[in-house]
DNA sequence: ATGAAAGCGCTAACAT
DNA sequence: ATGTTAGCGCTTTCAT
């Protein structure tokens, strides 16, 4: 049997104050004497009172819920879960809940959550360079933050990894470790339409410019990277390998062929995870931390700023990748 | 600038009917003449009207939101995302949204979403055998479904993989392929406290009983499984390997050491993914589908049944694992 | 088959 | 510093 939760009316009665006083204690939008506050808080505690979300939302137009538009999970995506977990926890800290909106719903889904008023703000993940969803959110007028930076967003904020810097870091490392070429896999050439890939390649190319480093943009399947790595490496030369997507998979595939122990190869991984837990063979692989937790937390905090600070303008925050083995 | 969404009042005015008629058209809780219904629906379309969620929740005590309590993401757990995505999509089909509740919040979090009325039902993932959260949900009176079956749940439904059958399947396969022993890794012996592991081992043991198959419950780190596999395999004998947790990781580790191509080892994987996309070396590994999408969808449908069917009782649904290579 | 009206539990403007 | 009161936009009883 479900028993009805207590209302602010019940709290008021028990504390011997008016119902509005209870509300003011909760919202803090009016000074309350210490004695009264104390009695009200005791009553709240005693009854286990929580303000009814529907009523609060109806009245205040603020639902304390942030919509999170998640991309479809392509099976292997543990990465996504890291973002979602971190976002949910950080939102919690600020008193917000996270409502999932599937990418499948598209712009229509955004319209729905906006019109029904379930969400008072949105976080969008994995946008294309020109994404119809951005236009829809802007039109709705809801504050929003994107994780990943689309080409144009005059109205909302964005938080993302600094992919240009990532590109420069990879090239620097390859050069420092005397590599003759850098094999970029995960079909980066074909994915230039993605904003992050395009920025990454800009970084790579600008840093490699004027050096002897030969760039190879692999176009094949990640599973075949090991084979390709062998093919391209001439005797006495050294090839660095890096994948902006599917990196861990290729890493395993490489390890499987023994390529990692071969001094003519230098694998660089984009992950914050401890790879030695998977296999001791991976312990020595240099890693760059993509800082997903930090990015998630920043996205939430940026949204909170947009929500709470009067007249706060949108802004773009780029997080620096970090070496994990220096 | 955010413009105010239209209300049912606006729709009523445009359609030339009373506000309550609009509501009846929407809820379908009263017969409406074809002509009236048509005019109302046109007005709804024209205005892009969506009923205000706060008002609806306040009045009807039903929020159309299902709370999903997700476990902490253990770094690279892509598995979780499959569940979450499938749950969100299936919930959508029935008109429900999914609100994330982090496991971190614990029983306290459940109490919060119940008292505030944000959720009208709950899905709980990854419960212990005796989990305090179950008691809290039962106490709250909310309908709920668990994914994974705790030992006692008199009030809620559960959906889970049939782990006993899984155990039997693994043993059968090992025997069929002339293995002398079965090495179970991921520390199953130490995890008997987990309901799924305990059921799995029951299945394994009952099926192995009376056969010559030697069972080895590995207690070490997954990364060391390859080494262990070599140690335990005597000349001319054959060892089957299976991990109820961390299976894919061990798989990669095994591949890395070349153990997969060795005929004295038989690896069995618990995954629905196409492993050949990771490495051609993994293409031949027999797989058992843990059916996470089906389990997720069943969980949602079970919850909907609990919510909508008068006097529907709780029940336990076990989904059969399936061979993916027969 | 439709309309009028009450009221869900809050917040905030208007009292004192 | 506190109390009184008017809605927010719906669902649903009670009328017709």
């Amino acid at each position: 049997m479900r028993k009805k939760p207590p209302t602010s009316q019940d709290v008021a009665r028990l504390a011997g104050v008016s119902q509005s006083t209870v509300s003011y204690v909760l919202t803090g939008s009016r000074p309350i004497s210490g004695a009264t506050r104390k009695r009200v808080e005791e009553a709240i505690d005693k009854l286990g009172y929580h303000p009814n979300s529907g009523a609060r939302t109806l009245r205040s137009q603020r639902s304390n819920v942030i919509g999170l538009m998640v991309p479809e999970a392509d099976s292997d995506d543990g990465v996504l879960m890291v973002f979602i977990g971190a976002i949910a926890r950080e939102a919690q800290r600020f008193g917000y809940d996270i409502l999932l909106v599937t990418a499948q719903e598209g712009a229509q889904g955004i319209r729905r959550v906006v019109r029904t008023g379930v969400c008072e703000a949105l976080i969008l993940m994995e946008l294309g360079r020109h994404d119809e969803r951005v236009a829809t959110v802007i039109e709705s007028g809801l504050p929003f933050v994107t994780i990943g930076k689309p080409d144009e967003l005059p109205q909302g904020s964005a938080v993302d990894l600094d992919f240009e810097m990532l590109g420069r870091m990879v090239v620097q490392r390859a050069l420092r470790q005397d590599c003759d070429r850098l094999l970029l896999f995960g079909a980066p050439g074909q994915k230039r339409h993605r904003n992050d890939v395009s920025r990454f390649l800009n970084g790579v190319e600008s840093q490699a410019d004027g050096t002897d480093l030969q760039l190879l943009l692999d176009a094949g399947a990640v599973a075949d990277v090991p084979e390709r790595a062998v093919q391209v490496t001439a005797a006495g030369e050294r090839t660095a390998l890096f994948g902006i997507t599917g990196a861990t998979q290729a890493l395993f595939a490489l390890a499987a062929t023994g390529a990692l122990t071969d001094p003519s190869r230098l694998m660089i991984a984009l992950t914050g995870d401890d790879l030695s837990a998977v296999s001791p063979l991976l312990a020595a692989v240099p890693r760059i931390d993509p800082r997903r937790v930090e990015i998630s937390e920043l996205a939430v905090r940026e949204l909170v700023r947009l929500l709470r600070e009067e007249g706060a303008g949108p802004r773009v925050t780029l997080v620096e990748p970090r070496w994990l083995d220096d």
Side-chain angles (χ1 to χ4, degrees), chain A residues 248 251-252 254-255 260 275-287:
Chain A
T248 26
L251 206 57
F252 296 131
L254 277 163
L260 287 185
L275 297 173
S276 63
V278 178
S279 169
L281 291 176
L282 301 179
V285 172
R287 284 135 61 218

Side-chain angles (χ1 to χ4, degrees), chain A residues 68-72 99-107 109-110 112 133:
Chain A
L68 176 64
M69 188 158 242
V70 292
E72 304 293 312
L99 189 101
L100 291 179
V101 187
T102 59
Q104 208 188 20
E105 281 198 86
I110 292 177
R112 187 181 57 84
R133 289 172 290 175

Side-chain angles (χ1 to χ4, degrees), chain A residues 169-170 173-174 177 179 181-186 222 225-226 229 233 238-271 275 281-288 323 325:
Chain A
M169 285 166 71
V170 170
R173 181 78 175 225
Q177 309 237 1
C179 290
R181 63 185 65 65
L182 171 61
L183 177 64
L184 299 171
F185 58 85
V222 169
V225 168
T233 311
R238 196 165 147 81
T239 303
L241 292 139
F242 183 81
I244 197 172
T245 57
T248 26
Q249 287 201 346
L251 206 57
F252 296 131
L254 277 163
T257 58
L260 287 185
T261 48
D262 186 327
S264 70
R265 245 88 69 193
L266 169 69
M267 180 74 200
I268 300 172
L270 182 64
T271 177
L275 297 173
L281 291 176
L282 301 179
V285 172
R287 284 135 61 218
I288 300 178
W323 284 108
D325 60 334

